[in-house]
Amino acid sequence: MKNESILEKITQARANAPQAVPAAELKAKIAGMPPCRDFAAAFRGDGIHVIAELKKASPSKGLIRADFHPVELAKELESAGAAALSVLTEPDCFLGSLRYLEEVRGAVSIPLLRKDFISNEYQILEARAAGADAVLLIAAVLEENLFTELRGFAESLGLTALCEAHSRSEVEMLVRGGAAMIGVNARDLADFSVSLDTSLNLLGDIPSGIIRIAESGIRSKEDILRFCDEGSDGFLIGETLMRAERPGEKLRELSA
C-alpha cells in the first residue's frame, strides 16, 4: 500500500482504543445470549439481496446524512426488504458507535454486520456482545495468519465473517484462510476513488461455493444488474441509501 493509508491509520487507532468492558465480562454476557442470526442465509435464493449500511459520515465524503437516526433508518430499510444491515461503529472518521448496533439489534429481526476496522479478538467479543451476527475482516490490514485466527475466533462465537478484498492477491489470501463469504470493494485504498470495474473483475476470482458480495459505488439498478451477471450473491450499499431523502424508497427502487 502507498505510504500509510487512511485505512491503516484508522485500524491502528481502533486497535489501540481503550477496552471499556473487560473481556471476561463480555464473554459472560455472550454465554447467556441467544444464537446469532444466520447472516449467510440472507444471500441464498432468488432475488436481489442488499446489506443496507447505516453510515453517518466517511473520511472521503465527510458528513453524509445529518439527519441520522439509526433505529428509524433500520426499521425503514428492513420494511423495504433489506436482507441485512451494516452498522458503522467507528467513532472518529465515520461518526459511528457500538451503541447504534445495540439499539438497532433491539429494533429489527434481520441479521446485523458490525462494520469496523477489526484487528484483535476483543473487537470480535464486543461485536457479539452488542448483538452483531457478522463482522468485517479487511484483508488489506491483516496478515494472513492473523486473518485466519480472527475468522476462526469469530466463527467460534457463531458470527459470520464477511471478508473484504480489494485485489486479486487479497482474494487468494482470503480463500487460503478459509473465507466462506468475500466482499469485493470497488474503492481504491490510496485515494478512495471508486471503480466498479475493479470489483466486477474480482468477482470472477472467487471460487464457486463462496458467497460473493459487491461493495461500494453501487448507485443504480443498472449497476446491480451488471454485478448479477458476474455472479454476485449480494450487495453492500451505504452512501446511495443514506443520501436519499427516503432510504426505504431508494432501496425498493434498487432491488425491484
Side-chain angles (χ1 to χ4, degrees), residues 13-89:
R14 297 301 282 148
N16 295 329
Q19 296 186 358
V21 180
E25 192 173 322
L26 293 176
K27 290 176 182 177
K29 180 180 179 181
I30 290 166
M33 292 174 65
C36 290
R37 291 162 186 173
D38 190 342
F39 192 81
F43 307 97
R44 300 188 185 111
D46 296 332
I48 293 171
H49 311 297
V50 174
I51 307 169
E53 185 157 272
L54 305 178
K55 179 165 64 173
K56 184 175 183 178
S58 78
S60 59
K61 300 295 180 67
L63 187 65
I64 292 171
R65 189 176 187 89
D67 183 27
F68 185 77
H69 302 288
V71 170
E72 293 176 17
L73 289 166
K75 290 179 177 178
E76 179 180 348
L77 291 164
E78 180 182 38
S79 295
L85 296 173
S86 168
V87 183
L88 258 297
T89 60

Side-chain angles (χ1 to χ4, degrees), residues 205-231:
D205 294 326
I206 300 173
S208 61
I210 296 176
I211 297 170
R212 305 168 183 179
I213 306 295
E215 303 175 5
S216 294
I218 297 168
R219 304 191 182 283
S220 68
K221 185 63 177 287
E222 288 70 30
D223 291 340
I224 286 176
L225 293 177
R226 287 178 70 195
F227 280 106
C228 286
D229 288 343
E230 295 299 322

Side-chain angles (χ1 to χ4, degrees), residues 116-194:
D116 211 318
F117 301 82
I118 289 173
S119 59
N120 60 55
E121 290 185 355
Y122 180 82
Q123 294 166 298
I124 295 174
L125 287 172
E126 273 189 327
R128 177 72 175 97
D133 304 295
V135 290
L136 182 72
L137 298 178
I138 303 172
V141 295
L142 298 173
E143 296 292 335
E144 185 166 345
N145 287 343
L146 179 57
F147 161 71
T148 303
E149 290 171 8
L150 293 178
R151 179 197 57 74
F153 183 68
E155 291 175 359
S156 76
L157 298 177
L159 293 159
T160 298
L162 172 57
C163 309
E164 182 173 291
H166 304 78
S167 68
R168 178 172 288 109
S169 63
E170 290 177 5
V171 169
E172 292 170 351
M173 185 268 273
L174 295 176
V175 172
R176 286 194 303 271
M181 177 183 291
I182 294 179
V184 291
N185 197 324
R187 194 174 302 280
D188 185 291
L189 298 181
D191 59 15
F192 273 66
S193 62
V194 172

